Amino acid sequence: MPKDKFFKTIANIQHPNESLVPTHCSYCGMQCGMNLRVDKSTNKIIGVEPRYDWPVTLGKMCPKGVTAYQQTNHDDRLLRPLIRDNPALKGTKDGFRESSWEEAYELIARKFQQLQAEYGKDSLSVFSGVSMTNEKCYLTGKFARVALQTRYIDYNGRFCMSSAAAGFLRSFGVDRGSTLPWTDLHETDCLFIAGSNTAECHPTSMFRVWEVQNRGGYLIVADPRETPIARRADVHLDLRPGTDLALANCMVNLLVKNGYADEDFVREHTNGYEEMVEAVSLFTPEYTSEITGVAPEKLVRAAEIYGKAPDAIVMFARGIEQQHKGSDNVSAYTNMCLVTGKIGRPKSGVATFTGQGNGQGGREHGQKADALPGYRKITNPKHVAEVCKVWGIAPEEMPQPGVSAYEMFELMAEKTIRGLYLLCSNPAVSAPNQNFVRAALKSLDFMVCSDIFLSESAEFADVVLPSVTWSEDEGTVTNLEGRIIKINKAQEPIGESKPDWLIEVELAERLGRGQYFRHLQTARDVAEEFRLASKGGYADYYGATWDKIDRQNGVFWPCRSEDDPGTPYMFLDKQFYHADGKAKLCALPYRPPAEEPCADYPLRLTTGRVVYHYLSGNQTRRIPFLHDMCPEPYVEIHPDTAARYGIEHDENVRLYTRRGEVIYKVKVIEAIRQDTVFVPYHFGHDQSVNLLTIPALDPMSRMPEFKVCAAQIAKVQEGV
Ligand SMILES: Nc1nc2c(c(=O)[nH]1)N[C@H]1C(S)=C(S)[C@@H](COP(=O)(O)OP(=O)(O)OC[C@H]3O[C@@H](n4cnc5c(=O)[nH]c(N)nc54)[C@H](O)[C@@H]3O)O[C@H]1N2
Ligand SMILES: Nc1nc2c(c(=O)[nH]1)N[C@H]1C(S)=C(S)[C@@H](COP(=O)(O)OP(=O)(O)OC[C@H]3O[C@@H](n4cnc5c(=O)[nH]c(N)nc54)[C@H](O)[C@@H]3O)O[C@H]1N2
Ligand code: SF4
Ligand SMILES: [Mo]
């Protein structure tokens, strides 16, 4: 990997009585390089040092990263399995007693087998997450299909990357979140960034973003809020939440009308041009302005900057994806690159800011309702046969596709699903429409939760299993570039906690399916089987050996053989992954949000993140510094809107939608549209904004519309 202009050789600081274990952060898709400091006398993690020589992030870390190590030996860690004998206490923290692993395994196996005997194999479900290594994600898919033999498995990436995945699949025939390495970002001439609060959510990208402007390039940002990155943008497209499809169509319309289309590229490498041009032609700046609320001049200027830039990268995140038309938004913004031919070469392309640490790898290897390792399809008999060969089962034994994450809760509520094995996710905070989801969890006959800390979701469990943090196990994850990297073990698991892969292997034995799992006795054993299972799929990891990952500072997939260095750039040969090698320009008619504002609910509620907390907050709310910086949620309101309601800064208000209500402290802030309010979602119980969000699902990706619904606020009356 060539060194880029930011590279400086700074020696890592090493104290004589400590060792440094090179690894990556436990949290977001940036996967910043870090060295964990381990005390040689106690063999415990005591701190962190930046990893200056990691080429993507060059020693930079955010407030979450520098305190991530405090999780490992935290007083709140779960140390032994917990069993709750009295189901009446479900939904509370009460009634748990510690148990041995043997007792917990015996109980889980017995209950799961009873449910399946009475209600069929598909009465069980698995809900997982992608803060786990590729190896664990892979094994979780196998555990569901081979050990539990159920069709019902899905995961928290459904709430995160599923629209990006569906959109990219439609446009390119392949879903790799970035078509180019992050080390190219600062060398481009224009960054067009939609629905990403980059400075708070992928903070260690920012030195490359600012460098684009320092070099005389341009930054365009589309966000209803004036986020830190929007504040410095050359054009801030301050659109109404839920109107991106109109905005993106307008960009493409202007690019075509003003002569920025690359006709040769369009003819040779794409399909669908005519229909797409027809569909976008309606979106004049004036008409688009009516829908989005963005001034027509800004739209014109943004398209001109992007069109003129010799190289440009279109980037987006959950702001555009967490809509009930999220996958259309992804393909619509991707049309910008395809129509101008700014893709398939260095410094130009498209990227989504992948959310979770392993948000990329975790979606490729079989945790999705319809996916098998290597991004294969469970509905494709050839794919099924390939995976069955590795798993040693007959193709007839492979379960059917299941349903998406939110739809699993619907099946729980109607008692089709009666048992749940939940790991690495906290849906009692993070799923939409919480009143319904919590009732669904409560209605389960039997629920297991594996976590490192007792989460809000664990409160609904009958058995809680203590898992390990990222620092107590090894394996690979795939960062937001599509680069497979190595997570190293710095400390032995504390208490009796165990890594999820080992729990699954041991549980499979108790379920009478040990023959398919008992050869997996180390993380490396799982890694070897995983590489093999991905071989031949389009997300092929076969050549990404741990040695090669160390030697090359990571390996970009696809990497098909031992001597294949991997694929940092996608589509260099202008070959897309559809059967004819062409990309698809998509014609996408505009649809409004599922719930438009009305007289009773005149505001648009949007939700998202702050720099100090991570997702459901179950990890970061326990870290003293992060808690002190952001101890509670709040609702952001524009001063004019606050004045209209007679509401003051710091006052409590009732925020409500058709699904629920929550009391929040008001933050009066100029950096938001007057018709929009924003709440960070990292808090649980009665502070959870997901009590209010709408479960309108994207028809393609099944992504819920976290980013927009209709809401109203009211002053809280004294004494009420
Ligand atoms: N600090 C921190 N960093 C994180 C995480 C975290 O929890 N905390 N989580 C990680 C994960 S899993 C994810 S998925 C990513 C998320 O990363 P982001 O997607 O950047 O984060 P969000 O805050 O969810 O939303 C981004 C922006 O979308 C804007 N937005 C809202 N509605 C719309 C709309 O309709 N259109 C447009 N264009 N914009 C809209 C919001 O105002 C917000 O600024 O962050 C990752 N990094
Ligand atoms: N309103 C609203 N809701 C949202 C979003 C939004 O923008 N707005 N964003 C959505 C997005 S993008 C995401 S990604 C989801 C995330 O939603 P969740 O999946 O709930 O996110 P986490 O908080 O990461 O949950 C992971 C849990 O697993 C635990 N854990 C960590 N590592 C391990 C491990 O190795 N093994 C086990 N067993 N447990 C582990 C953590 O302690 C934590 O309790 O939230 C979604 N919900
Ligand atoms: S930017 Fe993401 S990966 Fe980097 S330190 Fe912060 S949370 Fe960790
Ligand atoms: Mo996410």
PDB file of all heavy atoms in Angstrom, residues 660-671:
ATOM      1  N   GLY A 660     -46.602   6.706  19.991  1.00  0.00           N
ATOM      2  CA  GLY A 660     -46.218   6.826  21.395  1.00  0.00           C
ATOM      3  C   GLY A 660     -45.812   8.237  21.746  1.00  0.00           C
ATOM      4  O   GLY A 660     -45.898   9.152  20.912  1.00  0.00           O
ATOM      5  N   GLU A 661     -45.377   8.408  22.991  1.00  0.00           N
ATOM      6  CA  GLU A 661     -44.925   9.723  23.421  1.00  0.00           C
ATOM      7  C   GLU A 661     -43.753   9.595  24.377  1.00  0.00           C
ATOM      8  O   GLU A 661     -43.614   8.593  25.094  1.00  0.00           O
ATOM      9  CB  GLU A 661     -46.062  10.496  24.086  1.00  0.00           C
ATOM     10  CG  GLU A 661     -46.593   9.843  25.355  1.00  0.00           C
ATOM     11  CD  GLU A 661     -47.583  10.760  26.070  1.00  0.00           C
ATOM     12  OE1 GLU A 661     -48.661  10.966  25.485  1.00  0.00           O
ATOM     13  OE2 GLU A 661     -47.260  11.245  27.161  1.00  0.00           O
ATOM     14  N   VAL A 662     -42.895  10.612  24.382  1.00  0.00           N
ATOM     15  CA  VAL A 662     -41.722  10.632  25.256  1.00  0.00           C
ATOM     16  C   VAL A 662     -41.516  12.068  25.719  1.00  0.00           C
ATOM     17  O   VAL A 662     -41.775  13.012  24.979  1.00  0.00           O
ATOM     18  CB  VAL A 662     -40.440  10.174  24.502  1.00  0.00           C
ATOM     19  CG1 VAL A 662     -39.258  10.091  25.469  1.00  0.00           C
ATOM     20  CG2 VAL A 662     -40.637   8.833  23.817  1.00  0.00           C
ATOM     21  N   ILE A 663     -41.058  12.218  26.962  1.00  0.00           N
ATOM     22  CA  ILE A 663     -40.716  13.552  27.461  1.00  0.00           C
ATOM     23  C   ILE A 663     -39.224  13.789  27.202  1.00  0.00           C
ATOM     24  O   ILE A 663     -38.383  12.968  27.612  1.00  0.00           O
ATOM     25  CB  ILE A 663     -40.961  13.661  28.988  1.00  0.00           C
ATOM     26  CG1 ILE A 663     -42.385  13.228  29.364  1.00  0.00           C
ATOM     27  CG2 ILE A 663     -40.613  15.058  29.501  1.00  0.00           C
ATOM     28  CD1 ILE A 663     -43.460  14.210  29.070  1.00  0.00           C
ATOM     29  N   TYR A 664     -38.905  14.878  26.524  1.00  0.00           N
ATOM     30  CA  TYR A 664     -37.496  15.216  26.260  1.00  0.00           C
ATOM     31  C   TYR A 664     -37.199  16.648  26.674  1.00  0.00           C
ATOM     32  O   TYR A 664     -38.073  17.517  26.605  1.00  0.00           O
ATOM     33  CB  TYR A 664     -37.169  15.107  24.763  1.00  0.00           C
ATOM     34  CG  TYR A 664     -37.093  13.699  24.244  1.00  0.00           C
ATOM     35  CD1 TYR A 664     -37.969  13.256  23.268  1.00  0.00           C
ATOM     36  CD2 TYR A 664     -36.126  12.822  24.725  1.00  0.00           C
ATOM     37  CE1 TYR A 664     -37.895  11.969  22.763  1.00  0.00           C
ATOM     38  CE2 TYR A 664     -36.040  11.524  24.234  1.00  0.00           C
ATOM     39  CZ  TYR A 664     -36.933  11.105  23.254  1.00  0.00           C
ATOM     40  OH  TYR A 664     -36.857   9.838  22.776  1.00  0.00           O
ATOM     41  N   LYS A 665     -35.936  16.855  27.030  1.00  0.00           N
ATOM     42  CA  LYS A 665     -35.441  18.212  27.241  1.00  0.00           C
ATOM     43  C   LYS A 665     -35.242  18.862  25.869  1.00  0.00           C
ATOM     44  O   LYS A 665     -34.800  18.207  24.926  1.00  0.00           O
ATOM     45  CB  LYS A 665     -34.110  18.134  27.987  1.00  0.00           C
ATOM     46  CG  LYS A 665     -33.689  19.418  28.611  1.00  0.00           C
ATOM     47  CD  LYS A 665     -32.517  19.201  29.552  1.00  0.00           C
ATOM     48  CE  LYS A 665     -32.972  19.137  30.997  1.00  0.00           C
ATOM     49  NZ  LYS A 665     -31.854  19.046  31.922  1.00  0.00           N
ATOM     50  N   VAL A 666     -35.562  20.133  25.751  1.00  0.00           N
ATOM     51  CA  VAL A 666     -35.456  20.818  24.456  1.00  0.00           C
ATOM     52  C   VAL A 666     -34.073  21.439  24.288  1.00  0.00           C
ATOM     53  O   VAL A 666     -33.537  22.035  25.216  1.00  0.00           O
ATOM     54  CB  VAL A 666     -36.515  21.941  24.359  1.00  0.00           C
ATOM     55  CG1 VAL A 666     -36.240  22.840  23.167  1.00  0.00           C
ATOM     56  CG2 VAL A 666     -37.898  21.345  24.257  1.00  0.00           C
ATOM     57  N   LYS A 667     -33.523  21.251  23.109  1.00  0.00           N
ATOM     58  CA  LYS A 667     -32.295  21.957  22.753  1.00  0.00           C
ATOM     59  C   LYS A 667     -32.667  22.890  21.606  1.00  0.00           C
ATOM     60  O   LYS A 667     -32.944  22.428  20.501  1.00  0.00           O
ATOM     61  CB  LYS A 667     -31.273  20.920  22.305  1.00  0.00           C
ATOM     62  CG  LYS A 667     -29.868  21.401  22.243  1.00  0.00           C
ATOM     63  CD  LYS A 667     -28.947  20.181  22.176  1.00  0.00           C
ATOM     64  CE  LYS A 667     -27.528  20.563  21.903  1.00  0.00           C
ATOM     65  NZ  LYS A 667     -26.660  19.384  21.897  1.00  0.00           N
ATOM     66  N   VAL A 668     -32.743  24.165  21.893  1.00  0.00           N
ATOM     67  CA  VAL A 668     -33.079  25.134  20.831  1.00  0.00           C
ATOM     68  C   VAL A 668     -31.804  25.421  20.051  1.00  0.00           C
ATOM     69  O   VAL A 668     -30.784  25.793  20.633  1.00  0.00           O
ATOM     70  CB  VAL A 668     -33.672  26.426  21.436  1.00  0.00           C
ATOM     71  CG1 VAL A 668     -33.915  27.450  20.333  1.00  0.00           C
ATOM     72  CG2 VAL A 668     -34.980  26.114  22.167  1.00  0.00           C
ATOM     73  N   ILE A 669     -31.872  25.200  18.760  1.00  0.00           N
ATOM     74  CA  ILE A 669     -30.647  25.201  17.962  1.00  0.00           C
ATOM     75  C   ILE A 669     -30.960  25.699  16.551  1.00  0.00           C
ATOM     76  O   ILE A 669     -31.976  25.332  15.967  1.00  0.00           O
ATOM     77  CB  ILE A 669     -30.086  23.756  17.968  1.00  0.00           C
ATOM     78  CG1 ILE A 669     -28.736  23.664  17.288  1.00  0.00           C
ATOM     79  CG2 ILE A 669     -31.024  22.741  17.370  1.00  0.00           C
ATOM     80  CD1 ILE A 669     -28.069  22.311  17.574  1.00  0.00           C
ATOM     81  N   GLU A 670     -30.121  26.585  16.035  1.00  0.00           N
ATOM     82  CA  GLU A 670     -30.399  27.153  14.705  1.00  0.00           C
ATOM     83  C   GLU A 670     -30.115  26.157  13.595  1.00  0.00           C
ATOM     84  O   GLU A 670     -30.597  26.325  12.473  1.00  0.00           O
ATOM     85  CB  GLU A 670     -29.541  28.394  14.486  1.00  0.00           C
ATOM     86  CG  GLU A 670     -29.834  29.476  15.503  1.00  0.00           C
ATOM     87  CD  GLU A 670     -29.886  30.860  14.888  1.00  0.00           C
ATOM     88  OE1 GLU A 670     -29.558  30.984  13.701  1.00  0.00           O
ATOM     89  OE2 GLU A 670     -30.256  31.796  15.616  1.00  0.00           O
ATOM     90  N   ALA A 671     -29.326  25.127  13.911  1.00  0.00           N
ATOM     91  CA  ALA A 671     -28.803  24.249  12.861  1.00  0.00           C
ATOM     92  C   ALA A 671     -29.787  23.151  12.466  1.00  0.00           C
ATOM     93  O   ALA A 671     -29.404  22.003  12.265  1.00  0.00           O
ATOM     94  CB  ALA A 671     -27.486  23.634  13.343  1.00  0.00           C
TER      95      ALA A 671
END
